[in-house]
Amino acid sequence: MAESSELRRQKVKKFEDFVEGRLKPDLVNAIAQRDKVFEQQKIFSDLKRNIQVLEKSGATSLRTRVNLGSEVYMQADVPDTRRVFVDIGLGFHVEFTWSEALDFISVREARLARQVEEYTHLIANIKAQIKLVLEGIRELLQLPPE
Amino acid sequence: MTGGEVKGTVTPFDSVYSPAAVREAAAKVHDSIADHQKDLARVQGFFSDNTNLINLVQRLPDELSHDIMVPFGGAAFFPGKLIHTNEFLVLLGEGYYADRTARQTVEILKRRGKSLESQVESLKAKMMNLEAEARFFDSTATDAAEGLVEIMEDYVEEPNKCKPESSMTPGLPDSNVASISDNARTSTADDEYAQIMAMLDEREKEELDHENASDTNKELGEFETEAPAEDDSSSDEEEIVEAATRSSTSPHSLNNKGNEIFQNKLENPLQDSNHEKSGKPIGGNLQQYVVEQSQNSSGNAGKQTSQTGFSARRSFTGSIIEHDDANLPKSSSNQSTTSNPAKPVSRFKMQKGNR
């Protein structure tokens, strides 16, 4: 009897270690990556909004303040705002007109949304696994008293 | 006479500082060192950024305008120009900005750099302290693992007739009065004591020669230089204790009296003139003690000197860290009282009479 309880304790410990060592870090990683995709989504939606504002206002030049680093700003002048260089990934920037940029942004947004969904699935999966293992542990622990 | 009975305790370092706990503490200290290291790296990164910015700000006013790619959000750029190249908007903190020229901006940035530097210095100082702590923990862990033993023995008053018996009552410091009656633990050290008794005899002879030939200071110096060799001294200590116990004998009744007297002495440290001596630094005590010994050219003197030497050695080894300073002088004073049969015994008897 004592042996079986010892075995049980070992199993419980193994399951717990698995949850703590593998599943929970996996969960944390997946959530971090999904958050990164959320950030990208926000960036592109902001960009879209700004380009739409520009289009509506019809302004061709722009005066902005550029951050040189450590919050030291300097005035910058953009003479021609019709050419936008958009980051399409892998370190490339493509010269777009406004409408092209807006098209690209909508395509990009769709792709990002799909990525978010994938990560959401993965996270749900890991959470389910964690729940399963915890249930198993609970079962093991409940059997001895019975 | 109870031969072979041990009074005193042999405490392995393991019990006082359990190696596992010490290692845990060392690990914690290492972790905090790593954290501070990260902070240090971060602050140093800020500092290097600051210096780069200073260089940039100094170079910008050289041109009227610079062609740049102006960022638009996080993922788009506009080709454009930097204008008004001598005007900088600097964040002062808490949402306050200041329009400054290049030179003024450089001054601001230099002041920022100074504060960063002071942060770096304080972090480095903290790290050094932590590293010293870690080294102490590591050395304690290795000591405990090696089985370094802390020997605490009762002080027992020794009578004139010190017959060479194997009684375990040397005139050695007892920093733990509570352990006086703990014979059980000391009985385990009997074998060890028996082994080192012979060694102590040899040392006594050596020390007698030293004492006759050389200066007492030199003797102390010798003992002090021997002190750092902890590993050797730990085994030597046991041997010397063994020999000391064999050489310095006293009847069991006197042991108890000695303990009581010792307790009295603990309570009234300044009553006896010997205790006054104990007020002096240890070196002074031992000097005086050895001088007294040289005056009394008895066999006890040599043995007591060896004991003094032993205590001197012992006091300068790791155990000095453990013991209260007050105890050691008392112990040496106790030794002096017990070692001089002629004069101090009378004073001692006076004390006994006081009880």
Side-chain angles (χ1 to χ4, degrees), chain B residues 276-290:
Chain B
E276 288 177 30
K277 292 173 203 165
S278 72
K280 293 181 195 167
I282 294 172
N285 273 337
L286 293 168
Q287 237 180 356
Q288 184 166 13
Y289 173 67
V290 172

Side-chain angles (χ1 to χ4, degrees), chain A residues 12-145:
Chain A
V12 165
K13 183 148 194 328
K14 241 196 313 183
F15 286 162
E16 276 178 7
D17 290 343
F18 180 61
V19 167
E20 294 296 323
R22 281 293 307 280
L23 293 181
K24 286 215 173 125
D26 282 352
L27 186 65
V28 167
N29 279 343
I31 291 181
Q33 280 173 336
R34 192 174 70 159
D35 288 344
K36 262 192 264 177
V37 181
F38 276 145
E39 275 175 31
Q40 286 281 75
Q41 260 188 335
K42 183 172 180 300
I43 288 173
F44 276 103
S45 77
D46 285 347
L47 188 61
K48 187 159 90 164
R49 214 161 9 101
N50 286 336
I51 294 178
Q52 282 168 344
V53 163
L54 265 184
E55 241 181 336
K56 217 181 297 177
S57 71
T60 53
S61 65
L62 205 60
R63 193 64 86 74
T64 67
R65 281 209 147 93
V66 177
N67 187 356
L68 302 176
S70 306
E71 306 295 316
V72 172
Y73 294 91
M74 188 177 255
Q75 283 186 46
D77 191 39
V78 179
D80 185 10
T81 59
R82 277 169 309 176
R83 296 186 298 158
V84 196
F85 287 78
V86 185
D87 174 18
I88 57 169
L90 298 178
F92 283 95
H93 291 76
V94 175
E95 192 177 347
F96 284 127
T97 63
W98 285 336
S99 44
E100 287 169 352
L102 289 171
D103 288 338
F104 167 73
I105 288 173
S106 37
V107 168
R108 192 69 193 269
E109 275 185 334
R111 195 167 159 278
L112 287 175
R114 253 187 302 124
Q115 274 187 354
V116 166
E117 221 179 295
E118 277 180 26
Y119 276 120
T120 311
H121 277 301
L122 181 65
I123 288 171
N125 219 352
I126 296 176
K127 281 191 182 162
Q129 285 180 13
I130 291 179
K131 274 220 181 88
L132 192 67
V133 174
L134 287 178
E135 268 301 316
I137 292 175
R138 201 173 303 144
E139 230 181 271
L140 277 177
L141 287 176
Q142 275 171 0
L143 279 178

